[in-house]
Amino acid sequence: MTRHEPSDDDGTPSARGPLGRAAPALLLTIALVCGAVAAGALWEAGADADRERAAHRHRVTATTTGPAEDPPASTRYGTEPYALAPATWEHPGNARRSGTVQVPPRTPRGDAVVIWVDDGGTPVRPPVAAASRSLTAVSGGIAVAGAVGVTGVGALVLVRRSTEGRRYAAWEREWERVEPVWSGRLRRDRGAGTDDD
């Protein structure tokens, strides 16, 4: 006679049943959907913020009033190294402004460079490119999908351990009832007297 693990007495689905096998696929689907929703939300939020900033950023032409300094060490080997140079420009309201602006390395005095300024005429960074916004949205979506996946895997492990524990406890109970008969041993009744009676 062989020993078989019993089915759950309480009707709980077995961790190895159809539901248990489908759980990883379901978890993956949920994680991907959550990641896609998060990426879409981040894209929309970024687009709204970029539109708001773009409404207060203006592209103007500045004229350098001195040669460009050497590029900062942090940008010297980057994909778009830049240097700093003194320059003058006109604010969108035709007010004359001056200051230090970012220019290509080795820009001579008197060169015209395009810069971005805010409503007050202060130099600011150019509007964020769509590629950068896409990278942020995709990265955020991947992070959310990963967090949902890790949380789901943890929950699955806990459920499986709990289910396995109940299954093995039920198996032990059944084995205690069957083993004396199966092995041919007779169990003494707990209510029977001892040799001293």
Side-chain angles (χ1 to χ4, degrees), residues 139-154:
S139 300
I142 290 172
V144 169
V148 170
V150 168
T151 303
V153 166

Side-chain angles (χ1 to χ4, degrees), residues 49-109:
D50 289 345
R51 280 192 291 272
E52 177 67 24
R53 280 192 293 265
H56 301 284
R57 292 187 183 188
H58 313 280
R59 184 174 172 162
V60 298
T61 301
T63 303
T64 56
T65 58
E69 300 173 1
D70 287 336
S74 60
T75 67
R76 219 169 268 165
Y77 305 105
T79 54
E80 293 184 20
Y82 65 85
L84 299 175
T88 60
W89 62 91
E90 284 189 4
H91 180 265
N94 294 329
R96 200 89 175 144
R97 296 291 301 267
S98 64
T100 302
V101 298
Q102 293 181 3
V103 296
R106 299 187 183 88
T107 300
R109 176 179 179 170

Side-chain angles (χ1 to χ4, degrees), residues 12 35 52 64 66 68 76 78 99 108 113 116 119 123 145-146 168 175 177 183:
T12 305
E52 177 67 24
T64 56
R76 219 169 268 165
V113 292
W116 290 84
D119 290 335
Y168 284 117
W175 183 244
R177 286 195 312 262
S183 66

